[in-house]
Amino acid sequence: MIEQIYTFMIIGYVLLSWLPNARESFIGEWLGKLVEPYLSPFRRFIPPIGGMLDISPIVAIFALQFVAYGIIAVIDVFV
């Protein structure tokens, strides 16, 4: 549940990058403060393709889902 909300926040932040000056809005800055610390390590290791296409949010979402499902599986073993 929490990972789904965070995933939607990442998607929303990425979609805001397609609109001019949207990241400078209140919502854009708020999402940036919440999402950018998670995305920055992925951006350090995954360069943009062709200088413009940033696939690091996609990898970050896959990593988030992988970790969330792993935690759920571990909890299910012990409960």
Side-chain angles (χ1 to χ4, degrees):
M1 176 73 174
I2 294 173
E3 85 279 351
Q4 290 175 344
I5 294 170
Y6 201 70
T7 299
F8 288 131
M9 290 170 61
I10 293 171
I11 292 170
Y13 186 67
V14 169
L15 292 177
L16 284 178
S17 69
W18 296 352
L19 302 172
N21 299 325
R23 284 197 178 167
E24 285 78 31
S25 69
F26 173 75
I27 294 174
E29 289 181 5
W30 182 74
L31 282 175
K33 288 179 184 176
L34 294 173
V35 170
E36 201 57 46
Y38 178 68
L39 290 178
S40 61
F42 292 98
R43 287 195 174 126
R44 248 181 281 150
F45 295 110
I46 304 169
I49 296 174
M52 290 192 63
L53 183 62
D54 185 16
I55 62 165
S56 61
I58 297 169
V59 176
I61 289 172
F62 281 135
L64 179 65
Q65 297 295 319
F66 181 74
V67 169
Y69 290 136
I71 291 172
I72 291 170
V74 169
I75 290 173
D76 283 342
V77 168
F78 291 110
V79 174

